[in-house]
Amino acid sequence: MAFLKNTWYVAAWADEITRALLPRQILGDRVVLYRKLDGSAAAVADRCPHRFAPLSMGKLVDDTIECAYHGLRFDCSGKCTFNPHGNGMLPPRALVRSFPVAERYKLLWIWMGDPAKADEDTIPEFDFLSNPTFQNVKGYTLAEGHYELMTDNIMDLGHIEFLHPGLLGSEAVRKAKTEIVQRGNTVFSNRLTSDEILPPVLQKWYEAGERTVQRWLNVRWDPGAIMKLTVGVLPDGEPQDQAHESQGCHLMTPATETTTHYFWAQGRNWGTPDPAMDSLRLESLRTAFDTQDKPMIEAVQRNMGTTDLDSLSPVMLSSDGGPVRARRVLKQLIAEEAKAAAQLGVGVVESPIVRVG
């Protein structure tokens, strides 16, 4: 499985991480997440090096995880700190891998590559998630599809007229002006409608009523599959400062080659707090993502029978510019990372059987 390792992925919403052990598969590796007594988060490989039991089946003893099988304890650095067997000697090879984590924007980010390269300042911006002026709704789902298929779905919003009729899309989206911009490794896929009458749900969200509007749907993609979606609505004839603009995130983390963790949120910072409106937004987004996007992506994955889209020589449409550009950037980064690893002689190291007595 070829994944970009030296980049930040979302491991969980921050409020998912507690003193309970949370197992999660990321880039094919099994990881266990938890909070230490001081409130900071930690992540280590979810496999005891003795008999390979999942550490997530164990329990926390202060800041160490006690394996449920034979009682070995490991701290957040992955070092064995307690051996209840024999003379209690701590075998030097009784180690589990630990992963750098960072808590930012109410998300827990994890670095699966070289720990020395983990720079928190490279985490893409999602200020709205932690900005108290925003009223945010959020969710999570696990999809049975390759993460680049999930990325394609957001980078090309031309599908929303057809997959989300009467909910998120309209005919104007198909006719919108589009542009693809690349800055470094960041790709922007932007769409601007005109003379659009929004679907009824969006009329309520953006307080536009049945007036014709301009709507912009701007997606920012960062590798491996981190996207921010800005949607603005401006009723025709109104000054620009009367636009209502929402911020959203679509954060894809590969679990395996064919399964993807999907963390999403949407926020608005206009109007007074409105729990009823928040409930409507949450219900509508769950409908779109869980009952429309997810089944389609999963059906596409099954029908493809592979994760290599290019090998199937797909027909290309004018709306595919954003997805194609993001795929090219990611492919190049993965190739460069693999080449650098090969030059350093970095290979796969199997976990050894260690003596604990």
Side-chain angles (χ1 to χ4, degrees), residues 19-136:
R19 290 288 291 170
L21 298 172
L22 176 65
R24 189 148 279 172
Q25 194 167 15
I26 301 175
L27 275 59
D29 292 331
R30 298 187 183 278
V31 176
V32 58
L33 309 161
Y34 64 98
R35 286 199 185 277
K36 297 186 290 181
L37 291 171
D38 65 4
S40 62
V44 298
D46 192 13
R47 190 168 83 160
C48 178
H50 171 226
R51 285 295 180 266
F52 313 115
L55 291 175
S56 57
M57 294 179 67
K59 64 181 181 181
L60 283 176
V61 178
D62 296 325
D63 283 342
T64 64
I65 301 179
E66 181 177 284
C67 180
Y69 199 8
H70 290 89
L72 294 179
R73 294 180 188 172
F74 299 88
D75 65 17
C76 63
S77 73
K79 181 180 179 181
C80 182
T81 62
F82 177 71
N83 171 16
H85 302 279
N87 62 7
M89 181 188 70
L90 300 178
R93 292 190 300 137
L95 302 170
V96 295
R97 185 182 174 190
S98 64
F99 301 90
V101 294
E103 198 163 338
R104 188 171 290 192
Y105 308 123
K106 296 190 176 182
L107 292 159
L108 186 73
W109 302 80
I110 191 167
W111 185 273
M112 303 298 289
D114 180 354
K117 297 180 179 180
D119 179 359
E120 292 185 27
D121 290 338
T122 62
I123 293 174
E125 172 274 322
F126 291 96
D127 287 335
F128 79 94
L129 288 173
S130 53
N131 187 330
T133 69
F134 275 80
Q135 301 160 60
N136 296 321

Side-chain angles (χ1 to χ4, degrees), residues 157-178:
L157 292 175
H159 76 275
I160 64 176
E161 173 190 352
F162 306 97
L163 193 56
H164 310 298
L167 182 61
L168 299 180
S170 75
E171 185 176 320
V173 175
R174 182 199 328 165
K175 300 175 180 178
K177 296 179 181 179
T178 62

Side-chain angles (χ1 to χ4, degrees), residues 65-288:
I65 301 179
E66 181 177 284
C67 180
Y69 199 8
H70 290 89
L72 294 179
R73 294 180 188 172
F74 299 88
D75 65 17
C76 63
S77 73
K79 181 180 179 181
C80 182
T81 62
F82 177 71
N83 171 16
H85 302 279
N87 62 7
M89 181 188 70
L90 300 178
R93 292 190 300 137
L95 302 170
V96 295
R97 185 182 174 190
S98 64
F99 301 90
V101 294
E103 198 163 338
R104 188 171 290 192
Y105 308 123
K106 296 190 176 182
L107 292 159
L108 186 73
W109 302 80
I110 191 167
W111 185 273
M112 303 298 289
D114 180 354
K117 297 180 179 180
D119 179 359
E120 292 185 27
D121 290 338
T122 62
I123 293 174
E125 172 274 322
F126 291 96
D127 287 335
F128 79 94
L129 288 173
S130 53
N131 187 330
T133 69
F134 275 80
Q135 301 160 60
N136 296 321
V137 295
K138 63 184 176 69
Y140 162 82
T141 192
L142 180 66
E144 299 290 328
H146 189 263
Y147 71 104
E148 285 183 288
L149 295 178
M150 305 289 285
T151 295
D152 294 346
N153 190 59
I154 304 301
M155 290 295 282
D156 173 18
L157 292 175
H159 76 275
I160 64 176
E161 173 190 352
F162 306 97
L163 193 56
H164 310 298
L167 182 61
L168 299 180
S170 75
E171 185 176 320
V173 175
R174 182 199 328 165
K175 300 175 180 178
K177 296 179 181 179
T178 62
E179 67 169 355
I180 308 301
V181 178
Q182 183 176 342
R183 297 175 187 156
N185 291 327
T186 299
V187 177
F188 298 86
S189 180
N190 301 331
R191 187 176 290 262
L192 177 65
T193 75
S194 59
D195 298 321
E196 180 178 14
I197 296 179
L198 296 173
V201 170
L202 298 188
Q203 290 177 12
K204 294 179 181 179
W205 283 13
Y206 293 98
E207 300 175 358
E210 296 182 358
R211 293 176 291 176
T212 57
V213 303
Q214 244 190 3
R215 177 163 57 136
W216 50 95
L217 303 100
N218 297 338
V219 183
R220 183 198 73 203
W221 173 91
D222 288 286
I226 302 297
M227 286 160 287
K228 181 178 181 181
L229 171 60
T230 300
V231 179
V233 170
L234 178 64
D236 289 343
E238 296 287 346
Q240 190 70 33
D241 62 5
Q242 294 302 304
H244 284 164
E245 190 173 79
S246 67
Q247 303 290 325
C249 63
H250 299 269
L251 313 170
M252 315 300 182
T253 299
T256 67
E257 192 171 15
T258 55
T259 55
T260 303
H261 302 290
Y262 181 11
F263 303 90
W264 55 264
Q266 194 229 32
R268 64 185 180 95
N269 65 345
W270 70 86
T272 58
D274 186 344
M277 177 58 69
D278 292 344
S279 294
L280 174 63
R281 288 192 294 143
L282 183 60
E283 179 185 356
S284 301
L285 291 171
R286 282 176 173 166
T287 296

